[in-house]
Amino acid sequence: MPGPLFAHLDAAGVPPAPPAAGSGLYARVALDAPVRREFSYRVPEAFVAQLQPGCRVRVPFGARERLGVVVGLDPAPPEGVAVQRLKDLRALLDVEPLLTPALLRLARRIADTCYCSWGQALAAMLPAALRNDRTRRAIPVV
């Protein structure tokens, strides 16, 4: 069965099994934008072991990349969204979470009571240097 017509078949003439529709890990990311919702992204295999809620990530958003905070991890994509439409996280900026679960809950409460987005409340909790793409660094005390 040579030729491009049968290129999708294996040596036995059987098409490969499609990937499971919900396989992988999906991150809910809050962005510093006036939008009161989170955005879902696929988590690349390289980030699965380290990614936790409270970590900063760089994600594609429209024509550019934005900084966001992971607020949740899901084993399945959001309901009603095709897996093919989800984009991958571009970079993991923190090895360990910068914001604790208590701070995530506090930011959510601030967002609900002050009429801002969850991402805007989280951005207000971060030092100015960490609101950009900079990685954390330790400064030795002399």
Side-chain angles (χ1 to χ4, degrees), residues 48-114:
V48 169
Q50 297 170 326
L51 190 66
Q52 298 177 47
C55 289
R56 294 174 308 137
V57 290
R58 191 176 325 125
V59 296
F61 190 75
R64 47 184 223 175
E65 292 186 355
R66 305 269 316 249
L67 181 83
V69 175
V70 175
V71 294
L73 296 171
D74 298 316
E79 190 174 319
V81 177
V83 177
Q84 298 81 8
R85 295 201 57 204
L86 295 177
K87 298 178 182 178
D88 288 343
L89 297 175
R90 294 286 162 90
L92 175 61
L93 301 175
D94 301 315
V95 178
E96 58 187 43
L98 196 62
L99 299 166
T100 64
L103 286 174
L104 291 175
R105 286 192 305 271
L106 176 62
R108 184 67 199 185
R109 181 159 172 90
I110 290 170
D112 290 341
T113 58
C114 296

Side-chain angles (χ1 to χ4, degrees), residues 5-72:
L5 183 60
F6 300 104
H8 65 285
L9 302 177
D10 67 3
V14 179
S23 64
L25 190 63
Y26 301 89
R28 282 181 283 128
V29 177
L31 300 174
D32 184 8
V35 180
R36 294 183 57 85
R37 64 175 291 240
E38 300 86 49
F39 297 90
S40 293
Y41 292 90
R42 281 190 309 253
V43 178
E45 288 296 322
F47 301 153
V48 169
Q50 297 170 326
L51 190 66
Q52 298 177 47
C55 289
R56 294 174 308 137
V57 290
R58 191 176 325 125
V59 296
F61 190 75
R64 47 184 223 175
E65 292 186 355
R66 305 269 316 249
L67 181 83
V69 175
V70 175
V71 294

